[in-house]
Amino acid sequence: MEKINVIKEVTEELLKQLQIAAGVEVVAGEENVFQINLATEESGLLIGYHGETLSSLQLILGLIVYKKLGEWVRVVVEIGDYRAKRNETLTAMALDYADRAIASGQPIVLAPMLAIERRAVHMALTDRSDVEAISEGEGKMRHIVIRPV
């Protein structure tokens, strides 16, 4: 498939410019979503603090791919199951904080998070009718408050 080849070439070229050796695999998902799996010894460098570098890399790759293809496709960059593991951690944390908010009767303010991380927390609590999760703040200071209902 042409899109997969373009995404793989763009990713390999960007990593080459960054002087990072990595194996690149591109997997087509549904509705113009492509997952880029990277295998590298320098995963910490590419993931960055709380995944900030990984999110930036994903954004840049998405823009370059758009320029090459002339259409928007969603690219999701995964390095060593980081996103999957982080999502599991955030889900467990959200459920724990929801229980704490109920037990104490007080709202719990979480640390600022990236949008994708806030979404994971909101999704983890969608089935809970005893708490509400509200995003507050602006920009890098945007965070979630978990309140008992």
Side-chain angles (χ1 to χ4, degrees):
M1 179 180 220
E2 180 191 334
K3 290 179 184 178
I4 288 177
N5 292 334
V6 169
I7 294 168
K8 185 171 182 172
E9 288 173 16
V10 164
T11 304
E12 289 172 341
E13 180 60 29
L14 180 58
L15 292 172
K16 180 180 171 188
Q17 293 295 321
L18 294 171
Q19 298 179 1
I20 294 176
V24 178
E25 175 193 34
V26 180
V27 180
E30 52 192 52
E31 298 180 28
N32 261 353
V33 178
F34 296 87
Q35 181 164 322
I36 302 169
N37 297 313
L38 301 178
T40 179
E41 296 292 319
E42 300 182 72
S43 58
L45 181 65
L46 288 176
I47 293 169
Y49 181 73
H50 289 293
E52 289 180 0
T53 306
L54 181 58
S55 292
S56 298
L57 177 65
Q58 183 172 296
L59 174 66
I60 290 167
L61 283 170
L63 291 170
I64 296 170
V65 167
Y66 166 72
K67 288 293 212 177
K68 290 270 188 185
L69 294 177
E71 68 175 294
W72 285 105
V73 297
R74 184 162 178 246
V75 295
V76 177
V77 179
E78 178 69 281
I79 300 173
D81 292 332
Y82 172 80
R83 288 192 189 281
K85 289 176 185 172
R86 181 73 176 147
N87 197 36
E88 287 176 20
T89 301
L90 289 168
T91 298
M93 180 193 70
L95 295 172
D96 180 53
Y97 282 141
D99 291 341
R100 289 184 192 186
I102 293 299
S104 71
Q106 298 295 315
I108 295 184
V109 179
L110 278 59
M113 297 180 199
L114 299 171
I116 194 166
E117 294 176 329
R118 289 192 309 273
R119 183 177 188 281
V121 170
H122 285 296
M123 295 302 294
L125 298 176
T126 54
D127 294 337
R128 298 278 304 250
S129 59
D130 55 347
V131 294
E132 64 180 354
I134 301 165
S135 291
E136 295 181 349
E138 297 293 324
K140 286 192 172 249
M141 296 310 295
R142 194 142 173 91
H143 60 276
I144 292 178
V145 177
I146 299 175
R147 293 189 176 110
V149 176

